[in-house]
Amino acid sequence: MSAPELHPDVTAALEAAFPGRPVQDVTSLSGGFSGAALIAFVVDGAPYVAKRFALDPSDPERAARESACMRVASERGVAPRLHHADARTGVTIMDRIAGTPLRPTSDPMQIERVAAALRRLHDGPPFPRGPSRMDFLRFLDAQCAALAGVGLPAELVRTIAELERVSAPHAHAAACHRDLNPNNVLVAAERVYFVDWTHAGAGDPFIDLAQLGVFAYPRPEQREALLEAYLGRPANDGERERARLARAIALAFYAASFFFGAARLGGPPPEDDVSRPLAEVLAAFGAAPERTHPGVVAAAFLREVRREARALDVLRGLP
């Protein structure tokens, strides 16, 4: 297989980061949901990754924000070491980590390592603010309408708006990753790293915890262990309530994202496919994502959002 043709901006970045040194074993990688172009390569026997994403005219600060967040996270030791970041071209170069994505576990040592990495990130220098979650919701709603002729479920939009209102005091409390699905968490031999900083910015640290809890810590006792490891002590009632609110928000935005995924396929799945419990659906999706319609996942998330929302006093007045 021939090496991929490199964009001129990537070629210039490689020369700036490794002047006069040969770049070998160049291969393409998947850019995931963000659609970024990724390449893996080797210089002097060491592995690296270069990322280039198309600049977004609707969010002109995105490249500068992502570069700034990656630089801070790299210096804090919770992101791969950064060797090059150019906000003008959207190209970054970092170490390629020999790690595995985070998978569901009750291992207390791994829970502590993940919690310690989160604390180190959240306790570090502030991140710039980025688009709000409501901005992201409006984007998904418009995309769903354009693709499938119908936007996000009105119930979901109303619930998210109320959750956002209640959580507003914590909205910009810390430097946050804001997209901690398990594939963005790499467990290496000696450290836990966070990757893909596309959505990073000032945020609510409990949302980062809650996102991890959705996929990697699906059982309540696992999420409680993660919260206590993060706090370094047993959680009090107020912290548990805040964690539950954050979980409802994380579930709701995953629901919206999977509804968008369903819209890209033309609409929802058959009705008889949307009644399974969330844990069962996520297990099936994790094992074979190509066999699980995103609408099935979205419907399971929506049911879980409804259940969590009803348990929160702040939402009991919603229809």
Side-chain angles (χ1 to χ4, degrees):
M1 182 181 296
S2 60
E5 183 176 352
L6 299 181
H7 189 278
D9 289 341
V10 175
T11 300
L14 292 172
E15 179 58 29
F18 309 103
R21 297 156 69 185
V23 176
Q24 302 172 314
D25 300 335
V26 179
T27 57
S28 296
L29 302 173
S30 168
F33 182 81
S34 68
L38 293 174
I39 63 163
F41 60 94
V42 173
V43 174
D44 295 339
Y48 302 91
V49 172
K51 174 181 177 180
R52 176 185 173 273
F53 57 81
L55 301 181
D56 183 356
S58 69
D59 184 11
E61 302 302 319
R62 173 183 164 185
R65 184 175 62 252
E66 181 174 355
S67 296
C69 293
M70 286 181 65
R71 194 173 301 281
V72 170
S74 174
E75 292 170 354
R76 297 290 289 172
V78 297
R81 183 183 175 192
L82 188 64
H83 297 271
H84 178 89
D86 187 341
R88 181 183 59 85
T89 62
V91 177
T92 58
I93 298 174
M94 67 212 82
D95 287 349
R96 187 177 188 185
I97 301 300
T100 57
L102 182 65
R103 292 296 177 254
T105 180
S106 296
D107 179 0
M109 291 185 64
Q110 188 176 103
I111 289 175
E112 176 55 45
R113 291 174 68 199
V114 171
L118 271 182
R119 283 198 308 271
R120 190 165 183 82
L121 170 64
H122 294 159
D123 292 343
F127 280 176
R129 291 192 183 190
S132 70
R133 287 190 297 267
M134 290 304 294
D135 290 334
F136 183 56
L137 183 73
R138 284 186 282 269
F139 166 79
L140 291 178
D141 190 33
Q143 289 295 305
C144 287
L147 290 166
V150 61
L152 295 170
E155 174 195 2
L156 179 62
V157 174
R158 289 196 306 270
T159 300
I160 289 177
E162 183 63 10
L163 291 168
E164 288 291 306
R165 183 189 68 78
V166 175
S167 66
H170 310 294
H172 305 290
C176 289
H177 185 281
R178 305 204 304 182
D179 188 21
L180 282 179
N181 69 74
N183 290 328
N184 288 341
V185 184
L186 293 182
V187 180
E190 298 179 354
R191 189 175 295 185
V192 171
Y193 295 91
F194 305 131
V195 297
D196 191 351
W197 295 84
T198 302
H199 298 286
D204 180 354
F206 274 52
I207 300 293
D208 276 357
L209 281 166
Q211 289 177 336
L212 283 171
V214 170
F215 293 97
Y217 305 104
R219 297 200 302 273
E221 63 270 21
Q222 294 172 316
R223 296 194 293 273
E224 180 75 7
L226 177 65
L227 178 60
E228 293 193 351
Y230 175 79
L231 295 172
R233 54 170 172 76
N236 60 40
D237 289 344
E239 289 160 341
R240 288 193 181 93
E241 186 75 2
R242 185 177 165 192
R244 193 160 195 174
L245 175 62
R247 174 170 168 77
I249 292 172
L251 290 167
F253 275 93
Y254 281 128
S257 295
F258 277 97
F259 275 116
F260 169 62
R264 293 176 71 181
L265 296 181
E271 287 295 324
D272 58 1
D273 283 344
V274 296
S275 59
R276 288 182 291 162
L278 178 63
E280 180 183 328
V281 171
L282 290 183
F285 179 75
E290 71 283 355
R291 296 184 179 181
T292 306
H293 193 289
V296 173
V297 186
F301 269 120
L302 182 56
R303 288 193 300 275
E304 190 73 6
V305 170
R306 190 179 294 128
R307 188 181 71 80
E308 289 286 353
R310 286 171 180 165
L312 290 164
D313 288 341
V314 296
L315 296 179
R316 286 182 179 167
L318 281 182

